[in-house]
Amino acid sequence: MPTMPVDNGFYVTSGFGPRWGTFHYGTDFGRGGGSGGHPVYAVKDGTVTASGPASGFGQWVNVDHPASNGGGLTVYGHVIPEVRVGQSVTEGQRIARINPDSRTNGGVAPHLHLEWHRYVWSPPGPDRLDPMAMLAGARWPGTPPKKEPRMAQPSTTYTQLTTVDRGWRDPNTVPLIAIHTYECPRESGERALRNRAQYQQTSGTGSYTVLVSADGKSLRANDDNYTPCASLHTGDRLGFHLSFLAYARDSRETWLAYDTQLREAARICAEWCRLYGHQPRHLSIAEMRARKAKGFCTHADISDAFGESDHRDPGKGFPMDVFLRYVTEALNPAPSPAPPTKEDELNTDQHRMLQEIWDQLRGPGGKGWPQLGKTEKGENLTLVDAIAEIRADLDKLMEK
Ligand SMILES: [Zn+2]
Ligand SMILES: [Zn+2]
């Protein structure tokens, strides 16, 4: 999660979007009582690619972010730079201060103008992203990094958390477990999962809660208490979103051929059921709209229920019946051993052998062997008793 470029107490004075008959490709930050001279911080780790005079900004700083950190480039305008080109900066590091000279920002009050470019510096257009969307979940400078969530949540093979989310939510208020297909081949392994998550991050196209690969590995892209960007607002907020690396056009036979993939997804879903009380059943559209029952749905169901998207994944071939049975099985793991059946009892030969061993030790009917001698009470000795007698006799002989 990134860090805000200004201190707590600043607010957005002008957002990303249409403004004065043109389009404002950035977010302006200011604070009551004046912003001039206040520090500006790098939103993420990166390398300074520009620092100094820039048309329209007075001066600016550009920071390029490595792909391993979500990629992109951020622009800090109307500032006095405090870093030089080529310098590495860390998230939350002070890199500039807001220029108090209004002549450098078109004569309005001093403020920070922040831009977020998709890959590298890009002219005005679709590769300039809404900075506030990218800053969703960001912390204020100087506050400790967000703790890993203390709450329990389903474990996954890998974790690669995204910044493309819709912010915090209470996972206890999430009624749906929504199934998607990523619309890609049935890829396997860590690299495939990480690449698919990374593509969503750098392209800003969306995110799921969990991705599951063909070989039954899983990757978490959002903690349960963050709303992913998987199905537009309502469906996103109401769901844990699990996406298979698969196509919605895949047939039922294809789905069933990837049993380990279904099983891993079912294991994760069963954990959600256990933690939050979802039932392993397919909710009706009416139930989804009522938002009372907790259960399963598809992205297609979300499209039908809330009308915000037209996606039909995971497709008609998705074997919801088998999948929910797997979830149920994962919820009720192997029952305790069954009582012994006929097969578990000794067969006739085994029984006879056991009887012989017992007879040898205890005598026929457990009454000792007459040839071993008798006790003081006149009973036949058993094998063990007889050996004890012999030892006692031996001891007496040795004493003499
Ligand atoms: Zn601006
Ligand atoms: Zn979907």
Coordinates of all heavy atoms in Angstrom, one line a residue, residues 247-289:
Y247 N -11.0 -20.0 -19.0 CA -11.9 -19.3 -19.8 C -13.4 -19.6 -19.5 O -13.7 -20.7 -19.2 CB -11.7 -19.6 -21.3 CG -10.4 -19.1 -21.9 CD1 -9.4 -19.9 -22.2 CD2 -10.3 -17.7 -22.2 CE1 -8.2 -19.4 -22.8 CE2 -9.1 -17.2 -22.7 CZ -8.1 -18.0 -23.0 OH -6.9 -17.5 -23.6
A248 N -14.2 -18.6 -19.7 CA -15.7 -18.8 -19.4 C -16.3 -19.7 -20.5 O -17.3 -20.3 -20.3 CB -16.4 -17.5 -19.4
R249 N -15.6 -19.9 -21.6 CA -16.1 -20.7 -22.7 C -15.8 -22.2 -22.5 O -16.2 -23.1 -23.2 CB -15.5 -20.3 -24.0 CG -14.0 -20.4 -24.2 CD -13.6 -20.3 -25.6 NE -12.1 -20.5 -25.7 CZ -11.2 -19.5 -25.7 NH1 -11.6 -18.2 -25.7 NH2 -9.9 -19.7 -25.8
D250 N -15.0 -22.5 -21.4 CA -14.6 -23.9 -21.2 C -15.8 -24.8 -20.9 O -16.7 -24.4 -20.2 CB -13.6 -23.9 -20.0 CG -12.2 -23.4 -20.3 OD1 -12.0 -23.2 -21.5 OD2 -11.4 -23.1 -19.4
S251 N -15.7 -26.0 -21.4 CA -16.8 -26.9 -21.2 C -16.7 -27.5 -19.8 O -15.7 -27.5 -19.1 CB -16.7 -28.1 -22.2 OG -15.5 -28.9 -21.9
R252 N -17.9 -28.1 -19.4 CA -17.9 -28.8 -18.1 C -16.8 -29.9 -18.0 O -16.2 -30.1 -17.0 CB -19.3 -29.5 -18.0 CG -19.5 -30.2 -16.6 CD -20.9 -30.8 -16.5 NE -21.1 -31.7 -15.4 CZ -21.4 -31.2 -14.1 NH1 -21.7 -30.0 -13.9 NH2 -21.5 -32.1 -13.1
E253 N -16.6 -30.6 -19.1 CA -15.6 -31.7 -19.2 C -14.2 -31.1 -18.9 O -13.4 -31.6 -18.1 CB -15.5 -32.4 -20.5 CG -16.7 -33.3 -20.8 CD -18.1 -32.5 -20.9 OE1 -18.1 -31.4 -21.4 OE2 -19.1 -33.1 -20.5
T254 N -13.9 -29.9 -19.4 CA -12.6 -29.2 -19.2 C -12.5 -28.9 -17.7 O -11.5 -29.2 -17.1 CB -12.5 -28.0 -20.1 OG1 -12.6 -28.4 -21.4 CG2 -11.2 -27.3 -19.8
W255 N -13.6 -28.3 -17.2 CA -13.5 -27.9 -15.8 C -13.2 -29.2 -14.9 O -12.4 -29.1 -14.0 CB -14.9 -27.3 -15.3 CG -15.0 -25.9 -15.7 CD1 -15.7 -25.3 -16.7 CD2 -14.4 -24.8 -15.0 NE1 -15.6 -24.0 -16.7 CE2 -14.8 -23.6 -15.6 CE3 -13.6 -24.6 -13.9 CZ2 -14.4 -22.3 -15.2 CZ3 -13.2 -23.4 -13.4 CH2 -13.6 -22.2 -14.1
L256 N -13.9 -30.2 -15.2 CA -13.8 -31.4 -14.3 C -12.4 -32.1 -14.5 O -12.0 -32.8 -13.6 CB -14.9 -32.4 -14.7 CG -16.3 -31.9 -14.3 CD1 -17.4 -33.0 -14.7 CD2 -16.4 -31.6 -12.8
A257 N -11.8 -31.8 -15.6 CA -10.4 -32.3 -15.9 C -9.4 -31.7 -15.0 O -8.3 -32.2 -14.7 CB -10.0 -32.2 -17.3
Y258 N -9.7 -30.5 -14.4 CA -8.8 -29.7 -13.6 C -9.3 -29.8 -12.1 O -9.6 -28.9 -11.5 CB -8.7 -28.3 -14.0 CG -7.9 -28.2 -15.3 CD1 -8.6 -28.2 -16.6 CD2 -6.5 -28.1 -15.3 CE1 -7.9 -28.1 -17.7 CE2 -5.8 -28.0 -16.5 CZ -6.5 -28.1 -17.7 OH -5.8 -28.0 -18.9
D259 N -9.2 -31.1 -11.6 CA -9.8 -31.4 -10.3 C -9.0 -30.6 -9.2 O -9.6 -30.1 -8.3 CB -9.8 -32.9 -10.1 CG -10.6 -33.2 -8.9 OD1 -11.9 -33.0 -8.9 OD2 -10.1 -33.8 -7.9
T260 N -7.7 -30.6 -9.3 CA -6.9 -30.0 -8.2 C -7.2 -28.5 -8.2 O -7.1 -27.9 -7.1 CB -5.3 -30.2 -8.4 OG1 -5.0 -30.0 -9.8 CG2 -4.9 -31.6 -8.0
Q261 N -7.5 -27.9 -9.3 CA -7.8 -26.5 -9.3 C -9.1 -26.2 -8.6 O -9.2 -25.4 -7.8 CB -7.9 -26.0 -10.8 CG -8.0 -24.5 -11.0 CD -8.0 -24.1 -12.4 OE1 -8.3 -24.9 -13.3 NE2 -7.7 -22.8 -12.7
L262 N -10.1 -27.1 -8.9 CA -11.4 -27.0 -8.2 C -11.2 -27.2 -6.7 O -11.8 -26.5 -5.9 CB -12.4 -28.0 -8.8 CG -12.9 -27.7 -10.2 CD1 -13.8 -28.9 -10.7 CD2 -13.8 -26.5 -10.2
R263 N -10.4 -28.2 -6.4 CA -10.3 -28.6 -5.0 C -9.6 -27.4 -4.2 O -10.0 -27.2 -3.0 CB -9.4 -29.8 -4.8 CG -10.1 -31.1 -5.3 CD -11.0 -31.6 -4.3 NE -11.5 -32.9 -4.7 CZ -12.5 -33.6 -4.1 NH1 -12.9 -33.1 -2.9 NH2 -12.9 -34.8 -4.5
E264 N -8.6 -26.8 -4.8 CA -7.9 -25.7 -4.0 C -8.9 -24.5 -3.9 O -9.0 -23.9 -2.8 CB -6.7 -25.2 -4.8 CG -6.0 -24.0 -4.3 CD -5.4 -24.1 -2.9 OE1 -5.5 -25.2 -2.3 OE2 -4.8 -23.1 -2.4
A265 N -9.6 -24.2 -4.9 CA -10.6 -23.1 -4.8 C -11.7 -23.5 -3.7 O -12.1 -22.7 -2.9 CB -11.3 -22.9 -6.1
A266 N -12.1 -24.8 -3.7 CA -13.1 -25.2 -2.7 C -12.5 -25.1 -1.3 O -13.3 -24.8 -0.4 CB -13.5 -26.6 -3.0
R267 N -11.3 -25.4 -1.1 CA -10.7 -25.4 0.2 C -10.7 -23.9 0.7 O -11.1 -23.7 1.8 CB -9.2 -25.8 0.1 CG -8.5 -25.7 1.5 CD -7.0 -25.9 1.3 NE -6.3 -24.9 0.6 CZ -6.0 -23.7 1.1 NH1 -6.3 -23.4 2.3 NH2 -5.4 -22.8 0.4
I268 N -10.3 -23.0 -0.2 CA -10.4 -21.6 0.2 C -11.8 -21.1 0.5 O -12.0 -20.5 1.6 CB -9.7 -20.7 -0.9 CG1 -8.2 -21.0 -1.0 CG2 -10.0 -19.2 -0.7 CD1 -7.6 -20.5 -2.3
C269 N -12.7 -21.5 -0.3 CA -14.1 -21.1 -0.1 C -14.6 -21.7 1.2 O -15.4 -21.1 1.9 CB -15.0 -21.5 -1.3 SG -14.6 -20.6 -2.8
A270 N -14.2 -22.9 1.5 CA -14.7 -23.6 2.7 C -14.2 -22.8 4.0 O -14.9 -22.6 5.0 CB -14.2 -25.0 2.8
E271 N -13.0 -22.2 3.8 CA -12.4 -21.4 4.9 C -13.3 -20.2 5.1 O -13.5 -19.7 6.2 CB -11.0 -21.1 4.7 CG -10.1 -22.3 5.0 CD -8.6 -21.9 5.1 OE1 -8.3 -21.0 5.8 OE2 -7.8 -22.5 4.4
W272 N -13.7 -19.6 4.0 CA -14.5 -18.4 4.1 C -15.9 -18.8 4.8 O -16.4 -18.0 5.6 CB -14.8 -17.8 2.7 CG -13.8 -16.9 2.2 CD1 -13.1 -16.0 2.9 CD2 -13.3 -16.7 0.8 NE1 -12.2 -15.3 2.1 CE2 -12.3 -15.7 0.8 CE3 -13.6 -17.3 -0.4 CZ2 -11.6 -15.3 -0.3 CZ3 -13.0 -16.9 -1.5 CH2 -12.0 -15.9 -1.5
C273 N -16.4 -19.9 4.4 CA -17.7 -20.4 5.0 C -17.5 -20.5 6.5 O -18.3 -20.1 7.3 CB -18.1 -21.8 4.4 SG -18.6 -21.7 2.7
R274 N -16.3 -21.1 6.9 CA -16.1 -21.3 8.3 C -15.9 -20.0 9.1 O -16.5 -19.9 10.2 CB -14.8 -22.2 8.5 CG -14.9 -23.2 9.5 CD -13.7 -24.1 9.5 NE -13.8 -25.3 8.6 CZ -12.9 -25.6 7.7 NH1 -11.8 -24.9 7.5 NH2 -13.1 -26.7 6.9
L275 N -15.2 -19.1 8.5 CA -14.9 -17.8 9.1 C -16.1 -16.9 9.2 O -16.3 -16.2 10.2 CB -13.8 -17.1 8.4 CG -12.4 -17.6 8.6 CD1 -11.4 -17.1 7.6 CD2 -11.9 -17.3 10.0
Y276 N -16.9 -16.9 8.1 CA -17.9 -15.8 8.0 C -19.4 -16.4 7.9 O -20.3 -15.6 7.8 CB -17.6 -14.9 6.8 CG -16.3 -14.3 6.8 CD1 -15.3 -14.7 5.9 CD2 -15.9 -13.4 7.8 CE1 -14.0 -14.1 6.0 CE2 -14.7 -12.8 7.9 CZ -13.7 -13.2 7.0 OH -12.4 -12.7 7.0
G277 N -19.5 -17.7 7.9 CA -20.8 -18.3 8.0 C -21.5 -18.4 6.6 O -22.8 -18.5 6.6
H278 N -20.8 -18.4 5.5 CA -21.5 -18.7 4.2 C -21.9 -20.1 4.2 O -21.3 -21.0 4.7 CB -20.5 -18.4 3.1 CG -20.1 -16.9 3.0 ND1 -19.2 -16.4 3.9 CD2 -20.5 -16.0 2.2 CE1 -19.1 -15.1 3.6 NE2 -19.8 -14.8 2.5
Q279 N -23.0 -20.3 3.5 CA -23.5 -21.7 3.2 C -23.0 -22.2 1.9 O -23.0 -21.4 0.9 CB -25.1 -21.7 3.2 CG -25.7 -21.3 4.5 CD -25.4 -22.3 5.6 OE1 -25.6 -23.5 5.4 NE2 -25.0 -21.8 6.8
P280 N -22.7 -23.4 1.8 CA -22.2 -23.9 0.5 C -23.4 -24.2 -0.5 O -23.6 -25.3 -0.8 CB -21.4 -25.2 0.8 CG -22.0 -25.7 2.1 CD -22.5 -24.5 2.8
R281 N -24.0 -23.1 -0.9 CA -25.1 -23.3 -1.8 C -25.2 -22.1 -2.7 O -24.7 -21.0 -2.4 CB -26.5 -23.5 -1.1 CG -26.9 -22.3 -0.3 CD -28.2 -22.7 0.4 NE -28.7 -21.5 1.1 CZ -29.5 -20.5 0.5 NH1 -29.8 -20.6 -0.7 NH2 -29.9 -19.5 1.2
H282 N -25.8 -22.3 -3.9 CA -25.9 -21.3 -5.0 C -27.1 -20.4 -4.7 O -28.2 -20.8 -4.7 CB -26.0 -22.0 -6.3 CG -25.8 -21.1 -7.5 ND1 -25.6 -21.6 -8.7 CD2 -25.7 -19.7 -7.6 CE1 -25.4 -20.6 -9.6 NE2 -25.4 -19.4 -8.9
L283 N -26.8 -19.1 -4.4 CA -27.9 -18.2 -4.0 C -28.7 -17.8 -5.2 O -28.2 -17.8 -6.3 CB -27.3 -16.9 -3.4 CG -26.6 -17.1 -2.1 CD1 -26.0 -15.7 -1.6 CD2 -27.4 -17.7 -1.0
S284 N -30.0 -17.5 -5.0 CA -30.8 -17.0 -6.1 C -30.5 -15.5 -6.3 O -30.0 -14.9 -5.4 CB -32.3 -17.2 -5.8 OG -32.7 -16.4 -4.7
I285 N -31.0 -15.0 -7.4 CA -30.8 -13.6 -7.7 C -31.5 -12.7 -6.6 O -31.0 -11.7 -6.1 CB -31.3 -13.2 -9.1 CG1 -30.5 -14.0 -10.1 CG2 -31.2 -11.7 -9.4 CD1 -29.1 -13.8 -10.2
A286 N -32.7 -13.2 -6.3 CA -33.5 -12.5 -5.2 C -32.8 -12.5 -3.9 O -32.7 -11.5 -3.2 CB -34.9 -13.2 -5.1
E287 N -32.2 -13.6 -3.5 CA -31.4 -13.6 -2.3 C -30.2 -12.7 -2.3 O -29.9 -12.0 -1.3 CB -30.9 -15.1 -2.0 CG -32.0 -16.0 -1.5 CD -31.5 -17.4 -1.4 OE1 -30.8 -18.0 -2.3 OE2 -31.7 -18.0 -0.3
M288 N -29.6 -12.7 -3.5 CA -28.4 -11.8 -3.6 C -28.8 -10.3 -3.4 O -28.1 -9.5 -2.8 CB -27.7 -11.9 -5.0 CG -27.0 -13.3 -5.1 SD -26.5 -13.6 -6.8 CE -25.3 -12.3 -7.1
R289 N -30.0 -10.0 -4.0 CA -30.4 -8.6 -3.9 C -30.8 -8.3 -2.5 O -30.6 -7.2 -2.0 CB -31.6 -8.3 -4.8 CG -31.2 -8.3 -6.3 CD -32.4 -7.9 -7.2 NE -32.0 -7.9 -8.6 CZ -32.7 -8.4 -9.6 NH1 -33.9 -8.9 -9.3 NH2 -32.3 -8.4 -10.8

